[in-house]
Amino acid sequence: MELRKNYFADERKDDLNEIGHSRPRSDAPGHVTGKTVYFADRTFPDLLHLKMVRSPHHHAKIRSIDTSEAEKHPGVIRVLTAKDVPHNVYTILILIQVGPEDETVLADKKVSWKGEAVVAVVATSERAAQEAAAKVKVDYEVLPAVFDVLEALKPDAPEVNEHHPGNYYHYDSGDHRKVRFGDVQAGFAAADHILEETYSSSPIEQAPTETTGCIVAPEGNDRFTCYTNTQAMFFTLDNASIILQMPGHKLHMVGGTVGGGFGGKVDVIVEPIAILAAKLTGRPVSFIYSREEEMQISSPRAAETITIKDGVTKDGRLIARQVTGYTDAGAYSRHSPYGAQKGAAHYPGPYTVPNVWIDTYCVYTNRTPSSAMRGFGVTIADFALEVQMDKLARLIGMDPLEFRFINAYRDGDMKAHRQPTEGAALIECMQEAARVSGWPVAQKYLDMSSRTREA
Amino acid sequence: MAMKHGRGVAAINYPTGMNLGGDPSQALVHSTPTGNFMVSLSSVDLGQGLKQVMAQICAETIGVPTECVTIDTADTDTGPHCMGTFASRGTHRVGNAVLQAAQEARQVMLEVAAEELEVNASDLETDGEGNIHVKGAPQKSISIFDTALAAHFKQGRSISGRGMFLVQRSYPDTETGAMKPATCYAHACVVADVEVDDETGEVTVQSVKNVYEVGRALNPKMVEQQLVGGSWMGISHALYETTEPYYPNRDHGGTDFNQYLMPGPGDLAETETYVLERPSSDGPYGAKGPGEMCANPQIPAVANAIFDAVGVRIDTMPITPERILRALRAKAAAGEGRTE
């Protein structure tokens, strides 16, 4: 890596004692010698292991659940079903009034995705828990399922989740989040070329080295310590408190160094049920995803489908942009409604477009619930936007990098979601990229600045 | 059949933090009797090095070497509230909280030292090596160790500080979408060079030239590890990763790292990384959030380079050999159609 100190030198102090200096990480020796303690390195006497019975169907009614054989299995201490969970229907952000609560900790009436948790088995070994889980009998009535966002929005589509009629997330703005800026129809009318293209992605896995999990130990004073690799300690504490109807002071979350997250450990899935199991058994309980569960059960990045319609002048000005974005939330919200909303603000990209019309939809399907992942709400948008920019440049016969210089935002430009641009540096990044790659651009672009706009 | 070379560019910006319910983080700083400083947080270190960069922010602000600062984090009994480690918010949000707490602790430290030296606190400065002295008179000084001892055993004071950073919740306007979903923005521009085998559809990323603007690189080596790892992840997204190869068909999802494709050591592109620093007005020492931004621009840059190489557009991620071959065949078929 090379620092390019010549850019913005007058805006910085480069003579600080600690900031701006490469110091070795204090935890690096522990990492490279294998001595760093992760949550699962802790051992407890009488530790119990929790395994989940999961739905084999994408969408089904639960007619009955029979746990009698599992309960008799050697080593099984307790079998948990929905009736054991004090507040079984939850959503992660309800503490800050983002609802509705739409997901069950343990399903009782219906499952809406393949892999949904139905029954938790707690036993003296992982193997006993696994074997007992296989003995739980769930009688399902399979329902029609929908896997595609556009199919899910059709009037006769199966209802994925009763809390989201029409399979949309309902914002205060209706079934989608809007951004309206300028007059997009006038922009298209004035354009020399219009290009409308659709982009899509499939879900991907965060793939942290350390799988999601926790170990809960009763403290003996009616408090529970939960050693967890969550990315958000108080999301976990608050949600466990709500789900278990336990006052917050009964809960103690201990985290620390985590073996990667990339957004996959922002949801609160393993901790509440493990705390409940520890409470009901009076013993420490471990609930750790296998690699297969991490790959198949944990929330992936949402699939997205994005249609971009742009109006551009023959001299390279992007003058109108209309975007329709669909985020596949899977069966439940988790954080997806926020991801779709974040995308709405992002779609003009780092460009100044005078006329913008954006609609983003968060849609429910019978797929694994998606949630946060590195670049949440933005990564797929950037793919779509920057491929679109390339196509636009070629459509008007302009160099792709020069086309971006013409449209790049500068300080003071108003963005479509009505925030003035501050601290812009796109032009300088492109100038440096042109230099280091030997990508030829006209001198006038190398003379530009993010701080000023030429008259 | 041939190996075709192509080059593509992409430029992006990336928002720092979230504001869904407000975006708070808090920090507490206190000194031990030996003049070392403890920072209490509930923020999580995901392996990216949050603890180290928080120690540097605290050390710079108080005026001590980084090794005199210990970070105690991710315990809800001892650490004040933090929204969490996500949304490229750690360095910016938590860093601001640590900065504020450290400023308050520094002020108390200087007051204690002023009493010992019988001068005004405003006349004192730190040397960054563990000493406090009168401005312009370095011989009139006291070590931070002795200052802490005096605070604890003589003056009965706590050298401590509280830090809070809260970005207020933004409620989007329902009709216009006016909102403040984030604060400062980081930036990047990437040029990717690829080679595409037009017989197999396989893509080799030969090189990526990454230019990132991150506000301030508070610890350049740690910034580098983020940026290089992110660049690899971007290439992985572009060409390899999917939980469901035949999306939206649910079958054949990976269950382990043998089945879930990512580039291995032999697939690594030659990676060059250049960093620009335009300090943000609201970040600790000007930092912005580089964590998520750095994995995005490679994806469209690679897609654009593939088009440059073989003249087909793959608008669905990931860009697999199968999709490239299908597109090449469709293009060839369309070309034949026109000549007939």
Side-chain angles (χ1 to χ4, degrees):
Chain A
M1 185 181 94
E2 294 175 34
L3 288 169
R4 290 293 196 243
K5 291 282 188 183
N6 50 320
Y7 295 92
F8 307 111
D10 57 332
E11 296 188 21
R12 275 192 317 268
K13 278 182 69 174
D14 280 328
D15 59 347
L16 301 173
N17 290 317
E18 302 295 320
I19 295 298
H21 297 281
S22 294
R23 305 279 188 233
R25 284 169 56 170
S26 58
D27 53 5
H31 291 357
V32 299
T33 58
K35 291 192 170 64
T36 298
V37 174
Y38 294 86
F39 85 89
D41 292 323
R42 293 184 175 86
T43 54
F44 298 86
D46 300 326
L47 181 67
L48 300 177
H49 300 265
L50 188 152
K51 291 285 173 190
M52 237 7 130
V53 177
R54 300 187 176 279
S55 165
H57 303 295
H58 297 295
H59 197 193
K61 259 187 203 156
I62 296 175
R63 289 202 192 99
S64 65
I65 299 172
D66 177 2
T67 62
S68 55
E69 288 303 310
E71 282 164 28
K72 286 182 226 155
H73 190 81
V76 170
I77 303 298
R78 180 92 192 210
V79 177
L80 305 173
T81 61
K83 65 180 187 314
D84 295 305
V85 185
H87 185 78
N88 193 39
V89 183
Y90 79 107
T91 196
I92 294 162
L93 296 171
I94 199 68
L95 196 87
I96 48 175
Q97 295 84 48
V98 178
E101 293 178 310
D102 68 349
E103 181 168 6
T104 50
V105 176
L106 294 173
D108 55 351
K109 297 185 184 71
K110 195 177 109 160
V111 287
S112 295
W113 60 283
K114 187 176 175 176
E116 184 162 355
V118 183
V119 174
V121 178
V122 185
T124 51
S125 70
E126 279 189 67
R127 180 172 175 171
Q130 201 81 277
E131 287 169 349
K135 292 184 174 174
V136 172
K137 295 190 191 80
V138 184
D139 183 17
Y140 294 103
E141 177 189 333
V142 176
L143 299 170
V146 61
F147 303 111
D148 180 88
V149 287
L150 299 178
E151 292 293 319
L153 297 180
K154 290 182 176 167
D156 56 347
E159 185 182 72
V160 173
N161 184 321
E162 63 183 301
H163 303 285
H164 305 289
N167 295 333
Y168 289 103
Y169 183 79
H170 292 263
Y171 293 97
D172 54 3
S173 54
D175 58 17
H176 59 283
R177 177 60 72 199
K178 306 175 205 179
V179 172
R180 303 285 185 266
F181 185 68
D183 182 342
V184 79
Q185 292 312 328
F188 286 128
D192 294 312
H193 299 276
I194 291 171
L195 180 69
E196 182 172 346
E197 297 279 281
T198 296
Y199 303 87
S200 60
S201 66
S202 66
I204 71 167
E205 162 60 25
Q206 294 88 355
T209 308
E210 182 193 32
T211 61
T212 303
C214 67
I215 299 177
V216 181
E219 286 184 6
N221 55 357
D222 207 20
R223 281 188 105 214
F224 295 85
T225 302
C226 177
Y227 301 92
T228 166
N229 61 9
T230 178
Q231 291 180 228
M233 306 303 294
F234 280 97
F235 272 18
T236 302
L237 191 148
D238 298 342
N239 278 282
S241 174
I242 293 166
I243 289 166
L244 303 176
Q245 299 286 291
M246 286 169 75
H249 68 268
K250 300 287 186 193
L251 298 167
H252 177 198
M253 303 294 155
V254 178
T257 299
V258 172
F262 307 104
K265 294 168 183 160
V266 175
D267 299 334
V268 183
I269 308 292
V270 292
E271 295 90 349
I273 192 73
I275 294 167
L276 181 62
K279 187 179 179 190
L280 294 177
T281 62
R283 289 170 64 172
V285 173
S286 162
F287 181 20
I288 304 175
Y289 278 3
S290 65
R291 180 58 63 189
E292 181 165 344
E293 283 178 299
E294 189 67 46
M295 289 283 185
Q296 296 269 320
I297 305 306
S298 71
S299 317
R301 184 198 290 296
E304 293 183 42
T305 300
I306 300 165
T307 299
I308 307 176
K309 179 181 174 185
D310 284 331
V312 65
T313 63
K314 57 181 182 293
D315 62 351
R317 295 259 164 213
L318 190 49
I319 55 169
R321 169 163 282 177
Q322 183 163 6
V323 183
T324 308
Y326 297 94
T327 297
D328 184 347
Y332 302 108
S333 292
R334 299 193 181 170
H335 294 90
S336 292
Y338 180 66
Q341 175 171 303
K342 194 173 166 190
H346 188 74
Y347 279 117
Y351 304 109
T352 295
V353 189
N355 304 294
V356 176
W357 171 294
I358 293 162
D359 291 339
T360 60
Y361 297 81
C362 174
V363 183
Y364 299 88
T365 64
N366 294 107
R367 300 165 55 80
T368 311
S370 61
S371 196
M373 185 172 171
R374 189 180 202 173
F376 191 34
V378 172
T379 297
I380 314 303
D382 282 345
F383 164 67
L385 291 173
E386 285 299 290
V387 172
Q388 179 83 357
M389 291 299 281
D390 210 64
K391 291 178 183 176
L392 289 168
R394 289 170 192 269
L395 181 68
I396 58 173
M398 189 168 276
D399 175 82
L401 196 48
E402 293 188 342
F403 176 63
R404 286 171 171 87
F405 274 108
I406 290 171
N407 292 290
Y409 70 178
R410 324 271 187 101
D411 284 359
D413 288 354
M414 186 59 79
K415 293 187 240 183
H417 61 289
R418 293 172 207 250
Q419 295 298 321
T421 301
E422 292 174 36
L426 192 77
I427 282 170
E428 289 74 10
C429 284
M430 294 194 296
Q431 289 167 342
E432 185 61 21
R435 289 182 179 118
V436 299
S437 67
W439 185 303
V441 294
Q443 185 60 39
K444 63 179 175 178
Y445 302 116
L446 298 176
D447 294 338
M448 281 182 170
S449 167
S450 289
R451 297 194 278 205
T452 54
R453 187 172 276 287
E454 312 70 45
Chain B
M1 96 181 227
M3 302 296 277
K4 301 278 184 62
H5 172 262
R7 174 170 260 212
V9 66
I12 61 148
N13 64 345
Y14 199 91
T16 300
M18 68 181 286
N19 71 338
L20 185 58
D23 198 2
S25 281
Q26 303 192 356
L28 298 172
V29 172
H30 73 268
S31 92
T32 66
T34 56
N36 290 286
F37 289 84
M38 294 293 300
V39 179
S40 299
L41 305 169
S42 65
S43 315
V44 174
D45 192 322
L46 285 178
Q48 85 280 37
L50 179 127
K51 285 186 282 191
Q52 178 65 27
V53 79
M54 291 309 125
Q56 282 180 239
I57 290 170
C58 180
E60 180 71 49
T61 308
I62 291 181
V64 294
T66 295
E67 53 265 30
C68 295
V69 177
T70 301
I71 305 295
D72 173 27
T73 190
D75 184 324
T76 57
D77 274 9
T78 58
H81 183 218
C82 175
M83 193 77 168
T85 303
F86 43 73
S88 298
R89 67 185 296 290
T91 298
H92 191 276
R93 303 318 198 225
V94 185
N96 271 323
V98 170
L99 177 70
Q100 190 186 61
Q103 281 170 337
E104 192 174 303
R106 177 187 166 91
Q107 185 55 35
V108 178
M109 179 182 80
L110 294 181
E111 286 167 11
V112 171
E115 197 164 320
E116 294 303 304
L117 293 171
E118 298 180 332
V119 295
N120 286 325
S122 58
D123 293 333
L124 294 175
E125 62 187 5
T126 47
D127 67 358
E129 292 168 5
N131 302 294
I132 302 165
H133 61 75
V134 176
K135 287 176 191 167
Q139 71 284 0
K140 188 154 186 178
S141 75
I142 181 171
S143 70
I144 288 174
F145 187 173
D146 288 337
T147 304
L149 283 176
H152 288 256
F153 291 102
K154 205 167 132 194
Q155 297 185 22
R157 298 189 71 171
S158 166
I159 299 180
S160 59
R162 302 157 296 166
M164 305 114 215
F165 191 72
L166 170 63
V167 177
Q168 294 288 348
R169 182 170 182 172
S170 164
Y171 293 88
D173 183 273
T174 54
E175 292 310 307
T176 65
M179 59 176 132
K180 195 168 189 335
T183 58
C184 53
Y185 285 75
H187 301 88
C189 182
V190 165
V191 175
D193 284 274
V194 304
E195 199 168 66
V196 184
D197 183 330
D198 68 3
E199 187 178 29
T200 66
E202 281 182 277
V203 177
T204 305
V205 182
Q206 297 172 307
S207 78
V208 282
K209 293 181 170 63
N210 299 314
V211 180
Y212 294 115
E213 186 279 317
V214 301
R216 283 301 300 274
L218 301 187
N219 180 327
K221 273 288 170 201
M222 283 173 46
V223 168
E224 182 177 16
Q225 59 154 26
Q226 278 272 52
L227 301 184
V228 172
S231 178
W232 172 87
M233 199 174 200
I235 293 168
S236 184
H237 286 12
L239 298 177
Y240 296 81
E241 289 187 59
T242 171
T243 59
E244 285 132 31
Y246 304 105
Y247 174 81
N249 189 325
R250 189 71 180 79
D251 298 340
H252 307 296
T255 55
D256 59 31
F257 287 126
N258 291 318
Q259 295 176 14
Y260 183 79
L261 290 184
M262 295 187 285
D267 306 309
L268 287 178
E270 186 184 310
T271 303
E272 293 176 21
T273 304
Y274 304 90
V275 169
L276 278 53
E277 297 175 290
R278 185 174 194 197
S280 70
S281 57
D282 65 347
Y285 298 99
K288 299 175 177 177
E292 297 176 278
M293 171 271 287
C294 63
N296 284 356
Q298 295 78 16
I299 307 170
V302 166
N304 292 335
I306 291 169
F307 174 77
D308 187 51
V310 290
V312 293
R313 289 286 182 188
I314 311 300
D315 293 337
T316 301
M317 286 168 58
I319 304 174
T320 58
E322 179 184 337
R323 288 186 171 130
I324 291 174
L325 282 184
R326 286 182 190 280
L328 285 171
R329 282 184 193 164
K331 186 186 167 208
E336 281 162 19
R338 274 200 298 274
T339 55
E340 280 168 8

